[in-house]
Amino acid sequence: MESKAIEKEARLMKGNEALAEAAIRAKIDAYFGYPITPQSEILEYFSREMPNRGGIVLQAESEVASINMIYGAAGAGARVMTSSSGPGISLMQEGLSYIASAQLPCLVVNVSRGGPGLGTIQPSQGDYLQATKGGGHGDYHVIVLAPASVQEMADFVFDAFRLAEKYRNPAMILTDGALGQMMEKVILPEEGSLPKKTPEWATTGKPKWRERNIITSLFIQPEEMEKINLALQKKYELLKQEVRYEEFQTSDAEVVLVAFGLSARICQKVVELGREKGIRIGLTRPITLYPFPEKIINRLAKKIDFFLVVEMNAGQMLEDVKLSVNGICPVHFKGRMGGMIPSPEEVLEEVEMLLEKHSISHDMEVK
Amino acid sequence: MNDITITNGLEVVYKRPKTLTDTPFHYCPGCGHSVVHRVLMEVVEELGIQEKTIGVAPVGCSVFAYNYMNIDMQEAAHGRASAAATGIKRVLPDRFVFSYQGDGDLAAIGTAETIHTVNRGENILMVFINNAIYGMTGGQMAPTSLSGQITSTSPYGRDTQKTGYPIKITELIAQLPGAFYVTRQSVHTAGAVRKLKKAFTAAFEYQKLNKGTSFVEVVSNCPAGWKMTPKESITWMEENMFPFYPLGDIKLPPKESPSKN
Ligand SMILES: Cc1ncc(C[n+]2csc(CCOP(=O)(O)OP(=O)(O)O)c2C)c(N)n1
C-alpha cells in the first residue's frame, strides 16, 4: 500500500521545477523574482501554479527589488523566497546583508552559471566563495545547502526553510544550471510537513498589548553594533550542529575526493571507475557548504595519503578544505571553469598522476 | 509613557498623539521631517489604524523614523523602501502600509523601485520628502536640487548642462496608470500642515479601495544642508522651490470612485 502511494508521487521533473513544486508544498507565502537563465523555470512555474494553488508570485523589476521585497515580506513574518543566477545574485548582496543583520529567515536559490561578468549560461560552481563567506558587506553568513540531484533540489527547500526559521537567518540553495535543467525521478515532499506560525517579532501591525516591532539593520552605536555582531557569531557557532555531509567509500580510502553538488555526482563515478582499477579511493561531499564540515575532513586527513578537491571553478571550496586539513596531508585540486564540466575520466587521470607522484616521493622517503 | 495632565482648570488642546513615542526628535531645528512625522502619526491615530499600520523608513535623515512612530516599522535599504513596502503589503493585504523617503532615496538610487511600485499600483502610501539635498550625508546635490543651487558637490551652483536637471518625479509618476492619488504639499505654515493632514487622511482612506498607489510629496527645507537659519530656509523654499515644485494636487482619483468609504 505504502509503496504504491510513494510510487504515485514519483515524477520525472526538471530540477528547477521540482524545487518550485517543493516550495509550493512548503507553503511559501510569496515568491519575488526576475528572469535569468538558467533558472527562469522557477518563476515560470510559480506564475503558472500559484494563481490556482495560493501564494503570491511577483515578477519584480530587478533582483535588487526582489531581495528588498523579500526583506519586507520576511519582516512581516511571511515564508518567502527568491531565485536567480550569477549577475542577479550579485545584485542581491546588499539586500542579503541587511536580511542577515536584521535576522530574517528566507530562501535564496542560486542556480549558478559561469562567470565572471555576464559569463555563460552553462553550469558553474564559481559562486562558492560569494555564497559561503557572506557575499555582501559586513561579518555575516548565509546558510548554504548544495543539492546534487533533482531529488535534493526538492528536499532541500524544506531543509532550508527549517534552518532559516530556526536560526532567523537567510538560507541559500546553491545549485547550478545542470541540476536546474536536468530531468530525474523525484519523490516530492509532502505538503504541510513544514509547520508555520507568524513569529512574534514580525511587523504585522502593533496591537495594544505589545510594544512596536521594528525590523532594522541599523545599530548606530558601535557598542550596540558589536553586540549584534557577537550575537550573530554565536549563532554561526551554534549552526555548526547542522553540518551535513555524505561519505562514499572513504573507510579504507587512501585518496579522498572532496566535491559538492554536480562535481560530487561526477566524483561518485570517478570513485566507481577508480575502484574498478583497484585504487582505494573515496568521496566526501559537503552538503552544507556553510556551515562547512571541517571536522570530518580533518579526521580523514589523519588517515589518508591525500585529498583531491574537484570543483567547477578555480579552487574556491579548496580554501575551506585546506583550512580543515590544516597541513596534515597534501590537498590537490582539479577544476574546470567558465561552464565546463570535468569528465570522470579526466579526474581519474589526475588521481592516477597524483598517485604516481606520491608513490615516488614515498619511495624516496623509504630509501 | 504617562500623558501629562494639567489639573488647574486648563484644558489640554494639543498633545502628543499616542502614535508617537516620547523620544525627542533628532532632527535639526526647523527641519520639516519632524512635522511630517507628527502629521502622519496624528492621522494614523485619528483614523484608529495604529494596530493595522506598518511603515517603512528609508536611508536618509529619517532613517530613525521608527524611533518616533509608535507603530510596527521596518528600515529598508537606501532607495528600496517601496520594494520593502510592496513585500509587506503583498503578504498582509489588509494592513495600511506606507513608505517614507527622501529625494535621494526615492528619486536617485531608488528611481526604478519608485516607478515600478507605482506602475504596479501597489496599494500603499508613498511619502516623499523633497528637500532638494542629501541631508544625512552632509548636503550633497540631490536629483531634485534646483538649477544653480549650491551644495557641497555643486559648490559653484548646480550646472544642469553637466549634472542634469532637477527631476519632477512626482509629475512623472502621476503619468502612470497605477498612481491613484498624487499630490504635492508642504509644512511651512499652519495652513499647509492642515492641507497635508487632509492629504494623508485621503491617502489612507484610498488604501482601503485597493485602487492604486497614493503618492504624497512634501516640499520641505533643510536649514543645515542649505546653510541657512530655519527662517531663511522657509523664505528660500517659498522663493525658489515652490515656483519649480508647485503645490497642489497633481492627480485625483476619478470622480466615480467614492473618495470615502
Ligand atoms: C547604497 C548606499 N549608498 C549610499 C548611502 C549613503 N547615503 C545615506 S543617506 C543618503 C542620501 C539621503 O538623502 P535623501 O534621500 O534626500 O534624504 P535626506 O537625508 O535629505 O532626508 C546617502 C547617499 C547608503 N547608505 N547606501
Side-chain angles (χ1 to χ4, degrees):
Chain A
M1 273 299 281
E2 212 180 299
S3 70
K4 219 176 186 179
I6 287 171
E7 207 73 71
K8 227 168 122 191
E9 273 289 40
R11 290 201 213 166
L12 188 66
M13 281 182 108
K14 260 191 177 188
N16 285 337
E17 295 193 337
L19 181 139
E21 175 59 32
I24 292 174
R25 289 166 183 240
K27 295 243 176 263
I28 59 165
D29 295 300
Y31 169 90
F32 305 97
Y34 187 84
I36 185 171
T37 309
Q39 63 80 53
S40 294
E41 294 85 0
I42 299 176
L43 171 57
E44 288 166 354
Y45 195 89
F46 286 133
S47 305
R48 201 163 60 231
E49 294 294 321
M50 294 281 229
N52 309 317
R53 296 167 67 186
I56 289 136
V57 53
L58 197 162
Q59 180 170 332
E61 61 271 29
S62 71
E63 292 84 353
V64 175
S66 319
I67 196 70
N68 287 286
M69 289 170 183
I70 292 280
Y71 179 91
R79 183 174 284 165
V80 288
M81 68 173 278
T82 183
S83 62
S84 188
S85 186
I89 296 288
S90 291
L91 278 181
M92 291 185 190
Q93 294 304 327
E94 184 202 20
L96 263 174
S97 172
Y98 273 65
I99 289 170
S101 180
Q103 306 204 54
L104 303 177
C106 69
L107 169 60
V108 177
V109 178
N110 181 356
V111 186
S112 335
R113 51 192 256 173
L118 190 52
T120 161
I121 57 173
Q122 298 307 318
S124 158
Q125 297 181 323
D127 300 347
Y128 176 94
L129 286 174
Q130 183 198 52
T132 58
K133 306 300 169 188
H137 57 288
D139 281 309
Y140 76 92
H141 287 282
V142 170
I143 299 163
V144 186
L145 294 164
S149 63
V150 171
Q151 183 64 54
E152 287 184 343
M153 290 282 277
D155 292 342
F156 286 7
V157 171
F158 279 62
D159 296 323
F161 277 117
R162 205 172 286 123
L163 291 170
E165 287 165 14
K166 181 174 171 188
Y167 292 93
R168 279 190 69 178
N169 203 71
M172 179 180 279
I173 291 180
L174 179 64
T175 180
D176 64 67
L179 285 161
Q181 297 297 325
M182 73 188 193
M183 289 183 95
E184 279 185 324
K185 195 178 96 174
V186 56
I187 295 164
L188 291 159
E190 226 167 282
E191 197 155 329
S193 56
L194 196 60
K196 187 157 79 176
K197 78 177 217 292
T198 306
E200 70 280 0
W201 45 259
T203 58
T204 50
K206 175 201 163 325
K208 289 197 176 60
W209 51 264
R210 71 153 164 82
E211 289 295 300
R212 65 196 194 283
N213 281 340
I214 295 163
I215 301 296
T216 185
S217 67
L218 174 66
F219 307 96
I220 200 97
Q221 300 300 334
E223 294 82 5
E224 201 189 346
M225 190 72 249
E226 185 176 53
K227 261 191 209 149
I228 297 289
N229 268 287
L230 289 170
L232 288 179
Q233 293 305 317
K234 206 166 144 189
K235 174 163 86 177
Y236 303 146
E237 200 54 44
L238 256 170
L239 253 176
K240 287 186 178 167
Q241 68 193 5
E242 308 291 349
V243 159
R244 276 172 69 186
Y245 57 89
E246 192 178 57
E247 286 194 274
F248 183 58
Q249 310 227 5
T250 52
S251 54
D252 67 336
E254 294 170 335
V255 182
V256 171
L257 305 175
V258 190
F260 71 93
L262 188 68
S263 305
R265 280 285 280 267
I266 295 157
C267 286
Q268 203 164 334
K269 187 76 193 165
V270 177
V271 171
E272 283 164 15
L273 294 175
R275 289 273 167 182
E276 276 168 24
K277 288 191 164 181
I279 303 170
R280 278 156 62 186
I281 184 171
L283 164 69
T284 297
R285 168 170 85 103
I287 293 172
T288 52
L289 302 184
Y290 189 88
F292 189 73
E294 50 194 25
K295 277 196 185 134
I296 177 65
I297 288 175
N298 184 273
R299 218 179 301 140
L300 280 171
K302 291 167 189 151
K303 50 180 227 185
I304 66 168
D305 287 350
F306 64 89
F307 283 109
L308 176 63
V309 179
V310 181
E311 297 180 80
M312 286 150 54
N313 58 39
Q316 299 195 10
M317 182 176 70
L318 175 65
E319 292 182 8
D320 284 331
V321 175
K322 280 187 172 169
L323 281 170
S324 308
V325 170
N326 200 17
I328 296 172
C329 78
V331 180
H332 300 285
F333 178 69
K334 171 74 187 169
R336 294 297 299 267
M337 287 170 283
M340 295 301 291
I341 302 175
S343 71
E345 291 74 20
E346 70 178 298
V347 177
L348 187 61
E349 225 170 87
E350 185 80 14
V351 171
E352 288 176 312
M353 195 263 290
L354 288 165
L355 272 171
E356 205 165 304
K357 257 199 202 161
H358 275 264
S359 71
I360 291 168
S361 62
H362 195 72
D363 286 351
M364 290 203 319
E365 267 169 43
V366 172
K367 280 170 196 164
Chain B
M1 288 286 139
N2 295 332
D3 282 321
I4 304 156
T5 37
I6 301 165
T7 48
N8 57 349
L10 296 173
E11 191 192 345
V12 178
V13 293
Y14 190 74
K15 60 173 184 177
R16 175 171 54 83
K18 288 197 176 63
T19 41
L20 276 182
T21 65
D22 69 350
T23 311
F25 287 123
H26 72 276
Y27 297 109
C28 305
C31 168
H33 271 306
S34 41
V35 184
V36 182
H37 282 21
R38 178 177 170 113
V39 175
L40 190 59
M41 286 301 105
E42 276 179 4
V43 170
V44 169
E45 178 175 60
E46 282 165 27
L47 292 175
I49 56 172
Q50 183 183 18
E51 299 192 18
K52 299 193 81 179
T53 305
I54 301 155
V56 183
V59 178
C61 284
S62 47
V63 69
F64 278 126
Y66 56 77
N67 279 347
Y68 315 116
M69 300 185 184
N70 191 16
I71 53 170
D72 278 3
M73 283 198 78
Q74 298 194 10
E75 197 290 305
H78 192 27
R80 323 300 172 201
S82 70
T86 297
I88 299 169
K89 185 72 181 190
R90 289 292 179 121
V91 297
L92 299 172
D94 65 336
R95 306 302 202 280
F96 295 89
V97 178
F98 69 85
S99 56
Y100 184 110
Q101 300 173 267
D103 41 67
D105 199 84
L106 180 139
I109 194 167
T111 309
E113 283 77 6
T114 300
I115 287 181
H116 287 280
T117 301
V118 180
N119 196 46
R120 287 189 303 267
E122 295 293 340
N123 277 292
I124 61 168
L125 160 63
M126 293 175 72
V127 180
F128 167 39
I129 310 298
N130 178 5
N131 57 13
I133 206 156
Y134 282 20
M136 191 200 211
T137 39
Q140 295 84 8
M141 184 179 67
T144 47
S145 294
L146 297 175
S147 175
Q149 188 178 333
I150 290 170
T151 71
S152 67
T153 52
S154 58
Y156 309 110
R158 182 174 191 174
D159 177 356
T160 53
Q161 289 299 311
K162 291 186 181 137
T163 65
Y165 297 85
I167 189 167
K168 292 185 182 182
I169 190 93
T170 307
E171 277 82 351
L172 218 140
I173 64 110
Q175 304 304 311
L176 304 171
F180 189 65
Y181 170 52
V182 182
T183 188
R184 183 183 284 125
Q185 301 294 333
S186 75
V187 285
H188 68 302
T189 61
V193 168
R194 273 195 295 277
K195 277 192 194 157
L196 176 65
K197 194 162 169 181
K198 268 200 190 133
F200 281 157
T201 308
F204 279 117
E205 293 288 356
Y206 292 146
Q207 206 167 132
K208 292 186 207 158
L209 304 177
N210 251 359
K211 293 218 164 149
T213 313
S214 290
F215 191 97
V216 178
E217 171 178 342
V218 183
V219 178
S220 193
N221 58 340
C222 179
W226 295 355
K227 311 269 181 279
M228 293 175 195
T229 65
K231 196 155 171 254
E232 285 166 357
S233 78
I234 299 288
T235 309
W236 192 86
M237 183 169 64
E238 285 172 330
E239 287 174 358
N240 299 281
M241 298 275 283
F242 292 168
F244 193 78
Y245 299 113
L247 304 183
D249 294 329
I250 295 169
K251 186 177 192 178
L252 287 172
K255 275 279 178 289
E256 58 273 19
S257 63
S259 63
K260 294 267 151 70
N261 64 325

